[in-house]
Amino acid sequence: MFRPPFPIYRVGGTVIELKTAIKTAAIATGAGITVIILLSGPAVAGNAIANLFAFDNSSGQSQTFSHGILNPNNPFFKERGSNGRACVTCHQASEGWSITPEGVQDRFEESDGLDPIFRTNDGSNCEGADVSTRDARREAFSLLLSRGLIRVGIDVPAGAEFVIEAVDDPYRCGGRLSAASMYRRPLPSTNLRFLSAIMWDGRESPGNLSIRDGLLQQANDATRGHAQAFEDLSDAERQQIVDFELGLHSAQGNDTAARGLNSEDAKGGAVNLSRQPFFIGINDPLGQNPSGAAFNPRAFTLFDAWAPSTASSHAPYAAARAAVARGQELFNTHAINITGVSGLNDELQVASIAGTCTTCHDSPNVGNHSVKAPLNIGLTDPDQRTPDMPLYTLRNLRTGDFTQTTDPGRAMITGKWKDIGRFKGPILRGLAARAPYFHNGSAATLLDVVNFYDRRFTMGLTAAEKADLVAFLRAL
């Protein structure tokens, strides 16, 4: 890995060495949580992007850019509950503002499994698991350690169209059939201004709330739930957390093969991302763009300047940059016959839709869906189940039909049978920093992601095309 030297800044007469990470013991919970210092604005004369900082990952370096100054007293970094947690506990800057198994494992080793992330209200496979010894804790938190998964327990909604008939639970938690425990990856707390829905199941973005209001609600719900707070956050604390989060823009900044992702007129990196226009419905393929503009399948244009036809000018990184550009072209244009996707084919009553990756990942240079569009692409089907996941059997109260799923998804919010297994698609920027992928961490690598889609939609990708797509995705 390459790492630039630490820059030195003078702020108000004080010299500050901006390292890539510091421990929060001095500014937050003292529990070994990694955060960073950002500097920006007039206080750092002559440094227009002085808060741009980098963290190494397996593909190069991720970077975050903020339009404001990070205040270490922001409640994002402060313990506001009863179990030692803060927002930053599960949203680490060095891990794409989420968590990774490697990071969680390091914290386990450093703390003997006593770091605040290891709490049985949602970090353990079962609520109230035995954590009396180090070995017991390792077993209790196995999904958190292996996949970076947090347990989300939700009751079946009143008036739901289904009941949980049975559960095959590998952990024998003994939970009620009127509720489900679902194991999900914490979504990043960066790039939030591009959201069209909050949380994998959209539960924090009901139709009567704006995204900002939903984030304000989510900040409090997370504090009351994950951090087990006895009191609500104040309105001022909620505003401070959300203002901080909405100011963050994160992306891969350097690639080990292609190097600088904004080099040679490319538009990668966090600063370019911070300038990316967005509004709800932008580039929507189904006519929900309020501007009336037609859908453009070339949703990604970051690496147009690296097109293979001009690769000779990019030496000595020509081959790597050409691969990234080819991957972008495949993502934009490779034909996909979209079939059997609940939330799309059934809602449109169209058996087959001719599309590309950007049919669903339509937000320009961001990659999520620009409107609420929870979809079931088969990730929770029984044939995708691994031995460490529960399997729920659900029965339709009207028809008597049965279905099986490892996670009922949005159906646990709406109570609707059609919403079983539906999830929102995440923002794609900064992927390299936050493996594993999908809501349940079932794809350990970006190649696993590509392989899943290749099988699911019979895309017919060659090994070379897969490699190009991975090169593109890790450059985001």
Side-chain angles (χ1 to χ4, degrees), residues 419-439:
D419 285 337
I420 293 171
R422 290 183 181 180
F423 299 89
K424 77 164 191 172
I427 289 167
L428 300 185
R429 300 306 297 269
L431 286 173
R434 61 176 199 265
Y437 307 103
F438 296 133
H439 73 276

Side-chain angles (χ1 to χ4, degrees), residues 283-308:
N283 203 39
D284 178 71
L286 300 178
Q288 297 187 66
N289 188 336
S291 75
F295 169 63
N296 182 357
R298 293 187 178 275
F300 280 90
T301 58
L302 300 172
F303 304 109
D304 285 357
W306 288 358

Side-chain angles (χ1 to χ4, degrees), residues 323-406:
V324 171
R326 289 194 303 269
Q328 177 179 270
E329 183 70 5
L330 285 165
F331 196 89
N332 286 334
T333 66
H334 186 87
I336 300 177
N337 184 28
I338 302 172
T339 61
V341 175
S342 174
L344 189 60
N345 295 99
D346 55 348
E347 296 288 346
L348 297 177
Q349 298 183 344
V350 177
S352 176
I353 299 171
T356 70
C357 296
T358 58
T359 302
C360 296
H361 299 280
D362 58 81
S363 292
N365 294 321
V366 177
N368 61 323
H369 208 118
S370 65
V371 299
K372 295 177 182 177
L375 304 177
N376 180 359
I377 59 174
L379 287 167
T380 69
D381 290 353
D383 62 359
Q384 298 296 316
R385 183 196 185 192
T386 51
D388 56 355
M389 286 285 110
L391 185 66
Y392 290 93
T393 300
L394 309 182
R395 176 168 57 87
N396 187 309
L397 291 173
R398 183 178 63 84
T399 66
D401 291 342
F402 290 88
T403 191
Q404 290 185 311
T405 180
T406 58

Side-chain angles (χ1 to χ4, degrees), residues 16-31:
I16 297 177
E17 183 179 9
L18 182 61
K19 297 188 177 181
T20 56
I22 62 172
K23 297 295 184 181
T24 58
I27 64 172
T29 67

Side-chain angles (χ1 to χ4, degrees), residues 89 128 144 169 217 282 341 425 430:
T89 303
L144 182 57
D169 179 8
Q217 175 178 284
I282 189 172
V341 175

